[in-house]
Amino acid sequence: MPAKIQIADSDVLLVIDLQADFMPGGRLAVAEGDVVVPTVNALIRRFAHVVVTQDWHPEGHASFASTHAAQPFETKQLHYGDQTLWPNHCVQGSEGAALHPELDLDAAFVILRKGMNPGVDSYSAFVEADGRTTTGLGALLNARGVKRVFCCGLATDFCVAYSALDARAAGFDAFVIEDACRAIDADGSLAAAWARMDAAGVRRMDSRDIEG
Ligand code: VGL
Ligand code: ZN
C-alpha cells in the first residue's frame, strides 16, 4: 500500500462548486453531487487553509446555450476558443447558485466567485477560459505559503480538472480527491480530463489516503 499522505500547513483544500444547480434536481445536475458533501466536510476539518469556489454567472452568460439560441452540450466557437454550452446555471443571486446548505463554510478563508465575466467562462479557480485573466488565487496561495493544492467538489471533468491543471501550471503540486468529487461525464469528458491530468502530473487519491 502506498504511504499515507500527511496534511501540512502548506496544503490548501480547494472545494469546488458545491452549489444547488449541480446537485440532483438542479439545472446542471451532476449525478450523486450531493453525496460528496459529508466527505468534503470531513476533509475541511483536516486542512489549515480552505478555499471554496462558487460558479457565479451573470444572466446571458456566454457559456449558456440560451445566449446563442443553441442547444445545451453543443460546442460554440467563442473569441477565446471552443466553449461547451450549458443550460442556464449558477446565475448570480439565484437559488441555484447557492452553496449546499450543509457545506461547512466556517473554516474557509475565501469564497472565490468565478465565471463573472459575461463573455468568458471560467472552469478554473485560477485562470479564466481566455487563458490569460487571472482570478488572483495563485498569488493568494503563494502569499500564504501554500505548496500543495488538494481539489474536491464538482465536476471532476470540468471545474475540478481545470483547477487542478492550472494549479500545476502555477507551480503547485496538485491532487484530486476522487471520492470527494463527481463528474458530468458527457461524451467521454471524464476520460479526456484524466488523460490531461495524468500527463500534467496531477495525482489521484482518496480521502482515506490521508494520515490520521
Ligand atoms: C461547471 C460546467 C459549467 C463545473 C461549471 O463546476 O464543473 N461545469 N460551469
Ligand atoms: Zn458555469
Side-chain angles (χ1 to χ4, degrees), residues 15 22-23 41 68 85 111 142 155 161 178:
V15 178
F22 298 123
M23 299 297 159
N41 281 339
H68 309 279
L85 298 179
I111 298 174
N142 280 323
E178 285 195 89

Side-chain angles (χ1 to χ4, degrees), residues 22 28 55 57 63-64 86 89-90 121 123:
F22 298 123
L28 179 40
D55 212 34
H57 301 307
S63 75
F64 295 172
W86 304 104
H89 66 278
C90 297
D121 205 3
Y123 297 146

Side-chain angles (χ1 to χ4, degrees), residues 12-202:
V12 69
L13 182 69
L14 188 52
V15 178
I16 298 168
D17 296 1
L18 288 175
Q19 294 168 261
D21 273 340
F22 298 123
M23 299 297 159
R27 297 213 263 183
L28 179 40
V30 179
E32 296 186 343
D34 53 339
V35 165
V36 303
V37 172
T39 311
V40 170
N41 281 339
L43 285 164
I44 285 173
R45 288 182 218 114
R46 323 189 63 136
F47 281 80
H49 308 275
V50 177
V51 171
V52 169
T53 72
Q54 194 170 20
D55 212 34
W56 195 249
H57 301 307
E59 310 244 22
H61 190 250
S63 75
F64 295 172
S66 62
T67 301
H68 309 279
Q71 292 304 309
F73 306 103
E74 282 178 13
T75 302
K76 169 103 183 166
Q77 179 85 44
L78 298 185
H79 62 93
Y80 51 81
D82 281 352
Q83 171 70 49
T84 301
L85 298 179
W86 304 104
N88 295 7
H89 66 278
C90 297
V91 172
Q92 294 174 6
S94 69
E95 266 177 52
L99 291 162
H100 192 287
E102 274 147 46
L103 180 62
D104 185 359
L105 293 171
D106 291 354
F109 76 91
V110 59
I111 298 174
L112 183 121
R113 288 171 167 171
K114 63 186 179 59
M116 296 179 67
N117 185 336
V120 183
D121 205 3
S122 192
Y123 297 146
S124 164
F126 292 89
V127 186
E128 295 188 9
D130 61 6
R132 282 198 307 267
T133 309
T134 176
T135 65
L137 181 60
L140 182 58
L141 296 182
N142 280 323
R144 288 191 166 231
V146 167
K147 305 285 183 229
R148 302 194 298 182
V149 178
F150 291 77
C151 303
C152 62
L154 306 173
T156 321
D157 40 349
F158 290 95
C159 291
V160 174
Y162 280 77
S163 296
L165 287 165
D166 281 348
R168 291 290 298 137
F172 301 101
D173 286 334
F175 298 76
V176 170
I177 309 174
E178 285 195 89
D179 59 321
C181 297
R182 289 294 185 275
I184 293 173
D185 202 12
D187 280 332
S189 54
L190 183 60
W194 271 117
R196 291 183 63 197
M197 290 192 281
D198 287 339
V202 175

